Amino acid sequence: ELADMITDEKPDGVLAGLRVLITAGPTREALDPVRFLTNRSSGKMGFALAAACQAAGAQVELIAGPVNLPTPIGVRRYNVESAQQMLDKANERVGKAQILIATAAVADYRPRAVQDDKIKKSSDSIALELEKTPDILGELSRRETHLFTVGFAAETRELERYARAKMQRKNLDMICANEVGPGQGFDVDENALLVFWPGGQQQLGPRHKRALAGELVDLIATRYATGDEHAGAVAP
Amino acid sequence: ELADMITDEKPDGVLAGLRVLITAGPTREALDPVRFLTNRSSGKMGFALAAACQAAGAQVELIAGPVNLPTPIGVRRYNVESAQQMLDKANERVGKAQILIATAAVADYRPRAVQDDKIKKSSDSIALELEKTPDILGELSRRETHLFTVGFAAETRELERYARAKMQRKNLDMICANEVGPGQGFDVDENALLVFWPGGQQQLGPRHKRALAGELVDLIATRYATGDEHAGAVAP
């Protein structure tokens, strides 16, 4: 009985002994002290994946943009706001991880100049100059070649085409595509994913994000176990 | 004793028998199906005022942008997203109200063109054309001359100058100014207000938004009772 208890203390599950870094939620890109650009990401999928990875035996760190969700038990959470803050924190935490799951809906563009004071409503129209935010997932994936990287692609159309292009461009081991639009994907509890990897694909769901997360973790563990197929190892 | 109970059923309090319309929270102005422009308004002040007006005997309707707050008991709530939706709902509900309290942090600008599909991250920088949103408070205040109108001004500097200018420009009976910035005004539980009306001013707080709401309701009731000083009646 004592032996059983001691054995139970060792994590088991399909991700036992692995460290997983997860990004989740939207980012906010400030125009001024009060206004910002953001998106409809609720963070639910990333938080569900954090819980599922933890349940599968992994040590999980979660870098979260501004969301209204409780931290899953056993998960270490870091709160950030902007894409730049998310990149900085990911750079700091990625070293020991074997798997990176990037669910965050990072803002693609940010205002080029942040105003110190609130912008006054004076002219009838203004042109807001936007510049690209850092490519967090692509940067980490290309630099950390040991890392098994899982990306997400929320698309309004041409799911497979855009998702496979993103996987290749960012040098990912896997990409999970889902269709978004009113009542789909963002800010809802149900989701469906079309998962692609260099040599295959699989449909998961539609079902509750928590159940979907468990299935995706199983698939990630299976693909991770194939090891030598890591995109990081074969990229130019 | 029976007489007491019957008397108790009639609302009393400083706003007894009055109908109050309140707007609260931020608005979201869509760039495309997933991205939007918004601000840090939590809606807490508006919701606290709705509860305080209801407790003061008023019939309260609350038009709320996207916030994460429960509806105060006895208050009728309408959820909206954009400035245009907030204006449409306010136009529909304002007719029977005697008092309008506009706490909403309505987005000043919105993207001129909303994209049907998600914008692809192709160019290094883009210029986003923004146009003014409708001036909800100004429009209602100028048209509904019977209405006692209370506005809010969140400013990063020159509080009194900007607040008094806004009160005059929008033809308001009262304006509540507060300083915003990191840890101030937005998304926090404490607040302080500098309240101006055409002939005077009063400092309220700093204290918890709920306590502050009660004091502000007393002040609104007092100013409303002066009746003939309504800006609506004397505007050019």
Side-chain angles (χ1 to χ4, degrees):
Chain A
E1 241 176 342
L2 183 64
D4 278 355
M5 284 172 69
I6 290 168
T7 309
D8 281 353
E9 282 182 4
K10 269 182 59 184
D12 53 12
V14 295
L15 296 180
L18 296 175
R19 286 168 184 262
V20 179
L21 183 63
I22 299 176
T23 65
T27 64
R28 290 180 177 177
E29 309 301 329
L31 272 73
D32 68 19
V34 296
R35 299 179 180 87
F36 57 91
L37 209 58
T38 189
N39 62 63
R40 293 180 190 278
S41 170
S42 68
K44 282 176 188 165
M45 194 67 215
F47 276 60
L49 277 167
C53 287
Q54 210 275 338
Q59 271 188 272
V60 182
E61 294 198 335
L62 175 61
I63 303 174
V67 294
N68 221 303
L69 295 171
T71 309
I73 291 167
V75 169
R76 189 160 179 189
R77 173 177 180 175
Y78 303 92
N79 290 323
V80 296
E81 189 147 294
S82 67
Q84 187 59 53
Q85 287 170 359
M86 189 171 275
L87 174 63
D88 292 346
K89 186 52 78 178
N91 274 331
E92 181 193 313
R93 306 309 308 171
V94 77
K96 289 179 176 169
Q98 287 85 34
I99 298 173
L100 170 68
I101 308 177
T103 73
V106 180
D108 292 349
Y109 290 94
R110 65 186 170 203
R112 187 176 292 278
V114 180
Q115 305 299 319
D116 287 338
D117 287 315
K118 192 178 163 189
I119 301 163
K120 302 310 293 180
K121 189 178 180 170
S122 44
S123 45
D124 278 349
S125 71
I126 51 177
L128 186 64
E129 273 295 320
L130 302 178
E131 63 181 10
K132 266 191 184 173
T133 55
D135 176 7
I136 299 174
L137 178 55
E139 198 169 301
L140 292 173
S141 169
R142 281 183 288 262
R143 194 186 66 216
E144 309 282 331
T145 51
H146 72 285
L147 208 58
F148 185 89
T149 49
V150 182
F152 278 72
E155 301 293 346
T156 43
R157 62 198 175 93
E158 293 193 70
L159 220 56
E160 175 160 7
R161 191 183 133 218
Y162 285 132
R164 284 205 177 270
K166 184 174 180 177
M167 176 165 67
Q168 197 160 27
R169 193 173 65 245
K170 300 202 178 193
N171 192 44
L172 308 179
D173 296 287
M174 185 182 273
I175 194 158
C176 310
N178 68 323
E179 216 159 6
V180 292
Q184 264 186 310
F186 277 172
D187 226 353
V188 293
D189 288 325
E190 276 230 334
N191 203 356
L193 296 174
L194 203 49
V195 185
F196 303 98
W197 55 91
Q201 70 179 71
Q202 192 172 325
Q203 162 91 28
L204 300 178
R207 56 181 121 278
H208 194 282
K209 283 182 182 176
R210 273 198 298 273
L212 197 64
E215 292 179 22
L216 181 56
V217 166
D218 287 342
L219 184 54
I220 290 171
T222 304
R223 297 301 311 153
Y224 177 76
T226 68
D228 54 359
E229 287 181 48
H230 287 199
V234 297
Chain B
E1 241 176 342
L2 182 63
D4 279 352
M5 286 171 65
I6 290 168
T7 310
D8 281 353
E9 282 182 3
K10 269 181 64 185
D12 52 15
V14 294
L15 295 180
L18 295 175
R19 288 169 183 262
V20 179
L21 182 64
I22 299 176
T23 65
T27 65
R28 290 180 176 177
E29 308 301 328
L31 272 72
D32 67 19
V34 295
R35 298 178 181 87
F36 56 92
L37 208 59
T38 188
N39 63 62
R40 294 179 189 279
S41 171
S42 67
K44 282 176 187 165
M45 193 68 217
F47 277 61
L49 277 168
C53 286
Q54 210 273 338
Q59 271 189 272
V60 182
E61 295 198 334
L62 175 62
I63 304 175
V67 294
N68 222 299
L69 296 171
T71 309
I73 291 166
V75 168
R76 188 161 181 187
R77 174 177 179 173
Y78 303 92
N79 289 324
V80 297
E81 188 146 296
S82 66
Q84 187 59 53
Q85 287 168 0
M86 189 171 274
L87 175 63
D88 292 346
K89 185 53 77 178
N91 274 331
E92 182 193 312
R93 305 309 308 170
V94 76
K96 288 178 178 170
Q98 285 86 34
I99 298 174
L100 169 69
I101 308 177
T103 75
V106 180
D108 292 349
Y109 289 93
R110 64 185 171 203
R112 186 176 292 278
V114 180
Q115 306 299 320
D116 286 338
D117 287 316
K118 193 179 162 188
I119 300 163
K120 303 309 293 181
K121 190 179 180 170
S122 45
S123 44
D124 277 348
S125 71
I126 51 176
L128 186 64
E129 274 295 321
L130 302 178
E131 64 180 11
K132 265 191 186 174
T133 55
D135 176 7
I136 299 174
L137 177 55
E139 198 168 302
L140 291 173
S141 168
R142 280 183 289 263
R143 193 186 66 217
E144 309 283 329
T145 51
H146 71 286
L147 208 58
F148 185 88
T149 49
V150 182
F152 278 73
E155 301 293 345
T156 44
R157 61 197 175 94
E158 294 194 69
L159 220 57
E160 175 160 8
R161 191 183 131 218
Y162 285 133
R164 285 206 177 269
K166 185 173 179 178
M167 176 165 68
Q168 196 161 28
R169 195 174 63 246
K170 299 203 176 189
N171 193 43
L172 308 179
D173 296 288
M174 184 182 272
I175 194 157
C176 311
N178 66 325
E179 217 159 3
V180 291
Q184 264 186 310
F186 276 174
D187 227 351
V188 292
D189 287 327
E190 275 230 334
N191 204 356
L193 296 174
L194 203 47
V195 185
F196 303 97
W197 56 91
Q201 70 178 71
Q202 190 172 326
Q203 162 90 28
L204 300 179
R207 55 182 121 278
H208 194 283
K209 284 182 181 176
R210 271 198 299 273
L212 199 63
E215 292 179 20
L216 181 55
V217 166
D218 286 343
L219 184 54
I220 290 171
T222 304
R223 299 300 313 154
Y224 178 77
T226 69
D228 53 356
E229 289 180 44
H230 288 198
V234 298

